[in-house]
Amino acid sequence: MTASDEQPGSAAHVLALVANGSATSRADLVRELGLAASTVSARVQDLVEAGLLTESGEGASRGGRRPRLLRIADRGAVALAADLGSHHIRTGAVGLTGSVFDVEEDAADLTSGPEPALDALAERLGALAERQRAAGRTVRGVGVGFPGPVDADGGRIIAPSRMPGWHLFALRDRLADRLGLPVLLDNDANMLALGEHRATHPALRHLVVVKAGRGIGSGVISDGRLHRGARGSAGDISHVRLEAAGERPCSCGNIGCLETVASGAALAAALRAQGIAADSTTDILRLVENGEPHATTLVRQAGRDIGAVLAVVVNFFNPEAVLLGGALSGAQPLVAAVRGMLYERCLPMATSELLINAATGGPDAGLLGAGHAALRGVAADSRGKER
């Protein structure tokens, strides 16, 4: 299974239109897609044969023959989804209509190397698959969001910061061999962007979704589709050089990257240097909620630093929304500081109708994006290839 996003008129696009209610018949799909009826019929037939769509009953006539209604198959098709962090694994099963089942989160240290992480991930997903089958659901595939650069088409991890041993690790194929299921692998920020887009802002066509947690990343939705760029690094704002970061060395080998001053790891280190106990983003949020002045100041400055980088993105890309996700988005001073910087540094034309908010998809947004991507991959691969 590749990470290719749904192309206009593809089987995956057809499935998405039926799932979100935009089309309930073949005639609706012809109008939505602007394709020949024969092409639409071929796409629908592929999905029906794959068990992803059903066609039955009769809808309202607009003149002439009453159309048969298309629905998402009620056979309980799901994809397994995993949202990985450097120190946790969150798993769940995602249905075609966006339902999420059997969510669990466990501690896991990805920095200890790929083999122990692969064992833990395969064990959790294998048990999750058995629970879905016992509940009468059909497991179609697996989607995984990884907290670092990913070659999505090749299914490999590419030089992740602070994670020795992972470079060029073929996580997709290794996991597929263990589970006997097709696996789709992508960066965690991309999966978050897909999940937020589908769950909370499906009508928007252009948005940037930032994941601010222990690290920093972002996913870009352009014209309603995930934009990965030429080599899959689109949205990687973490290693943009920032004047405020000075000469701080970064794990990427450069100096002065955004990550060195605005990531959760950097903030926790800065607090510890001041004698304040902080080992995680949860600790940082607790300190801010309790009004600890050093923590609040650091978080507010992190928001300004993130906003300074995003201002360039907003002026260049002109999105409809900037959504702030990840653990640190729960700190209101950070969200307010990002918003302030964008209004200060962006053109009025770019911000006059720009939505700048904390993401609202919740902790399962990354799972939803991973599961949704995997199910679309199954649709795209139905019967091998598009006709």
Side-chain angles (χ1 to χ4, degrees):
M1 184 187 294
T2 70
S4 58
D5 208 342
E6 62 194 34
Q7 299 293 323
S10 67
H13 191 195
V14 169
L15 185 67
L17 289 173
V18 176
N20 66 26
S22 298
T24 59
S25 68
R26 297 188 187 210
D28 287 347
L29 289 169
V30 169
R31 283 189 291 272
E32 287 283 339
L33 298 172
L35 298 176
S38 59
T39 301
V40 168
S41 290
R43 301 288 188 266
V44 169
Q45 190 61 34
D46 285 347
L47 293 168
V48 169
E49 291 179 4
L52 299 174
L53 283 183
T54 63
E55 193 173 28
S56 62
E58 292 185 336
S61 173
R62 296 189 182 183
R65 186 176 176 180
R66 291 163 65 90
R68 300 184 73 197
L69 294 176
L70 293 171
R71 295 186 178 89
I72 296 297
D74 59 3
R75 291 162 56 186
V78 297
L80 309 181
D83 184 14
L84 309 184
S86 58
H87 290 82
H88 75 268
I89 294 177
R90 188 175 180 86
T91 57
V94 178
L96 285 160
T97 58
S99 301
V100 183
F101 308 97
D102 297 324
V103 175
E104 292 185 348
E105 183 168 325
D106 299 293
D109 185 4
L110 270 63
T111 65
S112 64
E115 295 296 344
L118 175 63
D119 289 341
L121 182 58
E123 179 183 349
R124 287 161 175 75
L125 290 175
L128 177 62
E130 290 306 313
R131 290 198 296 275
Q132 302 317 300
R133 292 167 183 142
R137 303 182 186 113
T138 303
V139 179
R140 294 287 184 179
V142 181
V144 179
F146 184 85
V150 169
D151 170 10
D153 289 332
R156 301 179 300 172
I157 311 303
I158 305 295
S161 300
R162 302 179 305 277
M163 291 187 186
W166 280 95
H167 181 51
L168 298 183
F169 186 75
L171 179 58
R172 181 192 66 194
D173 294 343
R174 293 287 299 276
L175 187 59
D177 288 343
R178 295 280 289 270
L179 297 175
L181 291 165
V183 175
L184 186 145
L185 174 69
D186 208 334
N187 172 265
D188 62 339
N190 284 343
M191 294 304 199
L192 175 65
L194 285 172
E196 283 291 336
H197 183 227
R198 183 177 188 195
T200 64
H201 296 285
L204 298 185
R205 306 295 295 171
H206 309 282
L207 59 156
V208 175
V209 182
V210 177
K211 186 169 186 178
R214 189 173 180 83
I216 301 175
S218 72
V220 179
I221 302 294
S222 177
D223 197 22
R225 297 165 55 202
L226 180 65
H227 175 72
R228 293 186 180 86
R231 295 294 303 275
S233 66
D236 189 354
I237 62 174
S238 186
H239 299 290
V240 173
R241 187 164 182 178
L242 192 71
E243 184 177 350
E247 301 296 310
R248 290 178 175 85
C250 181
S251 58
C252 73
N254 280 325
I255 58 173
C257 295
L258 176 64
E259 180 178 293
T260 65
V261 291
S263 66
L267 296 179
L271 287 168
R272 290 195 300 271
Q274 298 181 36
I276 301 171
D279 294 319
S280 66
T281 51
T282 300
D283 294 334
I284 296 169
L285 292 178
R286 174 180 49 78
L287 290 166
V288 172
E289 289 170 359
N290 290 337
E292 207 291 320
H294 295 293
T296 302
T297 298
L298 283 171
V299 165
R300 183 174 288 115
Q301 183 57 48
R304 290 183 62 82
D305 292 337
I306 294 170
V309 171
L310 286 177
V312 179
V313 175
V314 168
N315 278 330
F316 179 80
F317 177 52
N318 188 207
E320 297 165 275
V322 172
L323 304 178
L324 303 171
L328 287 180
S329 68
Q332 284 304 310
L334 183 138
V335 177
V338 170
R339 184 182 292 116
M341 285 298 283
L342 291 181
Y343 283 131
E344 177 185 326
R345 296 198 176 188
C346 293
L347 295 169
M349 185 175 181
T351 57
S352 61
E353 297 182 7
L354 179 66
L355 177 67
I356 310 166
N357 278 331
T360 56
D364 293 340
L367 291 179
L368 178 61
H372 182 49
L375 288 167
R376 289 192 310 190
V378 171
D381 292 340
S382 61
R383 300 195 67 185
K385 295 181 179 179
E386 300 288 1
R387 290 181 182 174

